[in-house]
Amino acid sequence: MNHKRVFTQSTLVLALAAVLSGNASLADSYHGLTHVPSANQKVEGMAAPNILSPELTETVVAQGSMRLENVSGLTSYYGYDNDGTMLPAAGAIQSPGNTIEATKTEPDKNTYLILRNQHGADGRYDYGTRFMFQGHESGAKGTNGLKQGYITRINLDANGAHRVTLLATTDKHGNALPTFDGSTWYPWSQQLLFTAELGNKGGVWQATPDYPSVVEDISGALGRGGYEGIQADSDGNLWIIEDVGGKSGSVNTHAKQPNSFAYRFVPANPRDLTQGGKLQALQVSTSRGPIVFHAGNADADILSQDMKDLHTYGMSLQTRWITLHDTVVDGSTPFDANALAKAKFATPFKRPENGVFRPGSRFTEFYFDETGDTNTQTEAGDYGGFGAIMKLTQRSPSADTGKLTLFYKGDAEHSGLDNVAFWDENKVVFGEDGGDTLHTQRNALDSIYMFDVRTNYAEPGAPAPVRILAQGRDASAVLDSGIGAVDGNGFQNDGDNEITGLHVSDGDAGIGGILGARKPKPFKDGWRVFYTQQHGDNTTFEIHPARKHEQEHGRSE
């Protein structure tokens, strides 16, 4: 399709206004999205609506109170377990061992697919062809003491009674599923992959997309770790981003030691991941040698010259992939990936959570974030304390070596970057996950920011990223924030809303449809945009172009 610029009077007015304001990037040539001037403030006891760029609007595709078409003993609703009511009863007081509100399951990453011949709990119903899958990040504790998770499928073509299907609560052996954070589609095996961010109890589970889903723990091949982001490249390798919080320093008490790793799994047979392969971890080197983890010395790592180099614009650092585990040699017993990464001198990062390949780069450019310390008092401001966006460049997705550069250095206003999706080949959007503490400190809730990968953010006068959504706070999240602010009461639900599940996809389930293979075109040719406002009401939204904007620019679905 020809993406030539369509100039109208409105386009020229927007462009002129952006130039006069000193930020021409606000009137982009194709996806011109106006900067939302400020984040929503966090006001005690008050809710606030989401505010999007005026060219965008959003609709609800599912929310926590939506009843599942097939309820279970564990859960009956999209975002709630069965261990309580959705709101506390009048006069109820939270205390340790006395839960006054149902556990909110926090639907997490979204994976959108177009699939045929899918079934649900109603054998007579036509569920259509468009589906979105989620794992759930939280859940009530089971008899094993661990939180129990599950997998849901939003049937986008279905009516309300059939809108959300519970696909699985247990694996193929009857074991309770863990809580899940990341998800992706792996077309070589025609299975969904879900990650559990549970340290040495985490890992990767594969699941069939149809109902009922057959789920299998494949951590004997991919290891156990605090895995979150997971993406496939064109060679069938899996890139996994780990989120494991480090220890605070004894001196630098508001900063944490880098304690998470970036992994690549090279499968022996992409059509069957259970056959194993090689799990590798990324090692980054300066002129002094590899950047490594130092056990028992958090302060030294927090403010090391290595961490400063890693978070300095203009530094181009050498990388190589180190093999941690090879099933041919080491067997298929689940193993601690984080411990092996430290033992084999891989490089720790400041809580990276998600990554994605740049479309059109032939999987040679990989962008991933660091969440940082989510604390404005961090002593590590120049050392990744406010998070960052990293760019890893290789000659090919399977290359053993490459280069790592700092693409964007976070600050107190742009911090806690977490979820990510490419909007088009040059624009990437990151959602924040600041958490209640950071929200309170800066009196600002989270935002979604758009970055242009062609911009050098180190240059004086470089434009700031464009805020395309200032997240609000629904009434349920306000209530939970207030209850959770009382120390020691044992409240199990998170407070302020969080942005998660950013997803831009055309739903292509073939190998050529993996994220990064094609250049996205939001709102055209079947490309759709989703995200979830986690916590509170746990609402999953689809973003659309505002009708007025469509009319002014001569665009329509």
Side-chain angles (χ1 to χ4, degrees):
M1 178 171 288
N2 188 348
H3 290 163
K4 291 182 179 179
R5 186 179 305 180
V6 180
F7 286 99
T8 66
Q9 184 177 5
S10 299
T11 307
L12 293 173
V13 169
L14 284 171
L16 179 59
V19 171
L20 292 176
S21 69
N23 190 351
S25 69
L26 302 189
D28 173 70
S29 61
Y30 180 53
H31 291 299
L33 300 179
T34 303
H35 181 62
V36 179
S38 62
N40 271 307
Q41 292 184 341
K42 177 176 178 176
V43 180
E44 184 177 354
M46 298 297 291
N50 296 333
I51 301 174
L52 288 82
S53 298
E55 297 82 12
L56 301 174
T57 188
E58 63 185 20
T59 57
V60 174
V61 297
Q63 61 186 37
S65 59
M66 186 169 285
R67 188 172 177 84
L68 303 173
E69 69 160 349
N70 52 327
V71 302
S72 75
L74 174 64
T75 182
S76 299
Y77 298 89
Y78 177 59
Y80 294 88
D81 277 339
N82 293 337
D83 58 341
T85 55
M86 292 180 184
L87 291 173
I93 298 175
Q94 180 79 21
S95 61
N98 179 38
T99 298
I100 62 173
E101 183 180 87
T103 298
K104 296 181 178 181
T105 65
E106 302 180 11
D108 207 296
K109 304 301 185 300
N110 296 304
T111 296
Y112 169 60
L113 295 170
I114 297 176
L115 299 168
R116 300 189 180 279
N117 302 317
Q118 299 299 293
H119 307 87
D122 185 348
R124 298 171 298 176
Y125 187 77
D126 180 0
Y127 287 84
T129 60
R130 296 168 178 84
F131 305 95
M132 195 160 64
F133 301 82
Q134 304 83 24
H136 291 247
E137 188 181 4
S138 189
K141 289 185 178 180
T143 56
N144 59 1
L146 299 176
K147 294 181 178 180
Q148 295 186 40
Y150 56 88
I151 299 169
T152 51
R153 187 187 70 199
I154 300 174
N155 308 309
L156 295 166
D157 295 336
N159 61 21
H162 300 88
R163 187 66 165 181
V164 184
T165 302
L166 179 64
L167 287 185
T169 60
T170 61
D171 69 13
K172 62 188 292 185
H173 302 296
N175 301 310
L177 294 181
T179 54
F180 292 125
D181 296 85
S183 71
T184 196
W185 173 247
Y186 192 71
W188 287 269
S189 64
Q190 291 289 291
Q191 301 216 47
L192 294 150
L193 301 179
F194 293 93
T195 56
E197 183 192 337
L198 299 172
N200 60 15
K201 293 182 174 61
V204 180
W205 278 251
Q206 64 180 12
T208 57
D210 203 1
Y211 171 85
S213 179
V214 178
V215 186
E216 184 175 9
D217 181 356
I218 56 174
S219 300
L222 284 84
R224 299 212 176 277
Y227 296 160
E228 184 165 348
I230 183 167
Q231 297 290 336
D233 66 32
S234 55
D235 290 345
N237 305 315
L238 286 166
W239 295 51
I240 306 172
I241 303 300
E242 184 179 45
D243 177 13
V244 179
K247 295 180 179 179
S248 297
S250 57
V251 176
N252 305 291
T253 57
H254 303 100
K256 294 185 178 180
Q257 185 178 25
N259 193 44
S260 307
F261 298 88
Y263 302 92
R264 184 177 70 181
F265 179 70
V266 182
N269 179 6
R271 295 186 179 279
D272 184 2
L273 294 177
T274 65
Q275 293 185 19
K278 296 179 181 179
L279 183 73
Q280 302 172 322
L282 189 68
Q283 183 189 77
V284 185
S285 296
T286 70
S287 59
R288 295 177 300 277
I291 301 174
V292 300
F293 179 87
H294 295 92
N297 200 351
D299 285 301
D301 277 356
I302 289 169
L303 299 185
S304 71
Q305 185 62 45
D306 284 342
M307 280 296 116
K308 190 168 185 179
D309 287 350
L310 195 62
H311 297 94
T312 298
Y313 285 119
M315 299 289 289
S316 181
L317 306 179
Q318 300 297 315
T319 65
R320 71 185 184 101
W321 291 99
I322 300 170
T323 297
L324 307 180
H325 184 277
D326 184 345
T327 50
V328 173
V329 177
D330 303 309
S332 57
T333 301
F335 57 93
D336 188 331
N338 185 279
L340 281 178
K342 292 172 180 174
K344 298 198 176 185
F345 307 114
T347 294
F349 293 92
K350 295 278 287 188
R351 283 191 61 210
E353 298 199 57
N354 285 281
V356 65
F357 290 95
R358 181 184 181 184
S361 73
R362 297 185 179 181
F363 295 89
T364 62
E365 293 182 24
F366 185 72
Y367 290 77
F368 65 95
D369 60 61
E370 288 182 303
T371 302
D373 295 320
T374 58
N375 189 326
T376 60
Q377 296 177 295
T378 179
E379 298 87 356
D382 288 332
Y383 302 79
F386 291 115
I389 302 172
M390 299 290 180
K391 175 184 175 182
L392 176 60
T393 305
Q394 300 184 169
R395 290 191 306 272
S396 70
S398 295
D400 292 327
T401 60
K403 292 184 179 181
L404 187 74
T405 56
L406 175 68
F407 169 68
Y408 183 80
K409 183 178 180 179
D411 53 33
E413 182 181 359
H414 313 88
S415 187
L417 299 177
D418 182 351
N419 276 250
V420 56
F422 263 91
W423 192 270
D424 62 22
E425 65 175 313
N426 297 315
K427 305 294 194 312
V428 62
V429 286
F430 281 87
E432 291 181 304
D433 175 16
D436 289 24
T437 297
L438 183 60
H439 297 162
T440 300
Q441 289 174 334
R442 65 184 187 182
N443 190 27
L445 301 174
D446 290 332
S447 298
I448 295 177
Y449 290 103
M450 177 176 283
F451 299 81
D452 191 324
V453 298
R454 299 165 298 184
T455 298
N456 181 357
Y457 288 98
E459 289 183 350
V466 176
R467 180 186 288 110
I468 66 170
L469 184 148
Q471 184 175 228
R473 189 165 63 150
D474 60 46
S476 296
V478 174
L479 179 65
D480 291 348
S481 181
I483 298 173
V486 180
D487 290 337
N489 69 357
F491 189 56
Q492 83 278 23
N493 288 325
D494 283 309
D496 297 338
N497 293 124
E498 170 195 338
I499 297 166
T500 191
L502 274 174
H503 191 55
V504 181
S505 171
D506 65 352
D508 187 338
I511 293 173
I514 59 175
L515 297 181
R518 293 184 184 146
K519 299 174 183 179
K521 295 180 288 185
F523 321 129
K524 287 181 173 291
D525 300 337
W527 286 86
R528 302 175 74 169
V529 181
F530 301 94
Y531 80 96
T532 296
Q533 184 169 306
Q534 204 180 49
H535 314 322
D537 288 337
N538 283 312
T539 303
T540 297
F541 292 98
E542 181 170 3
I543 295 178
H544 308 272
R547 185 172 299 277
K548 179 180 178 181
H549 183 68
E550 284 184 327
Q551 294 171 348
E552 288 177 344
H553 291 258
R555 299 173 190 152
S556 61
E557 288 289 338

